[in-house]
Amino acid sequence: KRSFVFVYTDYSYLGMLIISHLFFAVIVAIIFNNLTDNATGVQDRIGLLFMCATNVCFSHANFALNRFRTSKLLYIREQQVGSYSPAIYFLATFTADLPILALCIMLKSIIVYFATGLYGSAGAFFYFFIVLFLLSVASFGFGALVGTAISNEVIATSVVPMIQVPMLMCGGLLADNDQIRPYFIWLEKISVHRYGSL
């Protein structure tokens, strides 16, 4: 209950989260407006999907990182008295944040998908939405992991891109898979960017 109250009574936090997603969606819709079916259009579609996946991964990892930072002292105090397990805390926090994450992804998906002229069917739209939503869930978990593992805020904020950028480079869109083998093949397999963009 406290997690729901914390999320849904902080109007500046909610407002900024929604505004940042709407801002990105409008910028992407302007840049990739009315995609064509020629070779340039295919390249633009790949860029569009890559940008959407990358934005979701970075923004939702930082969202979770900042979310845990604000309630960390309360969590530590309640852990010392044995109020609940870490798994219960994570599930409660994630459950409270899930509707707002879904709303933000839905708003972004509606604006981007229809303004850019991607394939016009309900099934394709919901596939686009589900992929972005699952990327957001994975990134939220990653941000929560970094937020709990590293106590210093500055270091934790620096670690997120330090881990995500190599996964982004090994995802298969920026470098050919043959170039990253055999040394970084494991990064290719765990890269959420790869699964979200392809």
Side-chain angles (χ1 to χ4, degrees), residues 5 14 16-17 24 45 55 84-85 91 93 102 157 167 174 192:
V5 170
L14 285 174
M16 198 59 216
L17 187 64
F24 176 78
R45 287 175 204 279
N55 176 261
Y84 44 78
S85 71
L91 287 176
T93 302
T157 305
M167 286 197 300
L174 298 178
V192 294

Side-chain angles (χ1 to χ4, degrees), residues 5-19:
V5 170
F6 178 77
V7 170
Y8 297 105
T9 57
D10 190 355
Y11 298 116
S12 61
Y13 184 70
L14 285 174
M16 198 59 216
L17 187 64
I18 292 171
I19 288 170

Side-chain angles (χ1 to χ4, degrees), residues 39-123:
T40 304
V42 171
Q43 181 181 1
D44 287 345
R45 287 175 204 279
I46 293 170
L48 166 71
L49 297 175
F50 175 76
M51 285 306 303
C52 288
T54 302
N55 176 261
V56 166
C57 287
F58 278 98
S59 65
H60 288 232
N62 285 324
F63 170 68
L65 188 66
N66 293 328
R67 170 86 165 86
F68 182 71
R69 194 175 9 202
T70 57
S71 61
K72 191 171 190 174
L73 293 176
L74 180 63
Y75 170 74
I76 291 171
R77 187 183 72 206
E78 290 180 350
Q79 277 297 298
Q80 290 172 346
V81 297
S83 296
Y84 44 78
S85 71
I88 297 297
Y89 172 79
F90 176 75
L91 287 176
T93 302
F94 178 70
T95 304
D97 289 326
L98 200 58
I100 192 68
L101 292 176
L103 173 69
C104 289
I105 295 295
M106 181 57 82
L107 290 173
K108 183 186 292 187
S109 296
I110 289 170
I111 292 170
V112 168
Y113 196 86
F114 294 110
T116 57
L118 292 174
Y119 186 69
S121 78

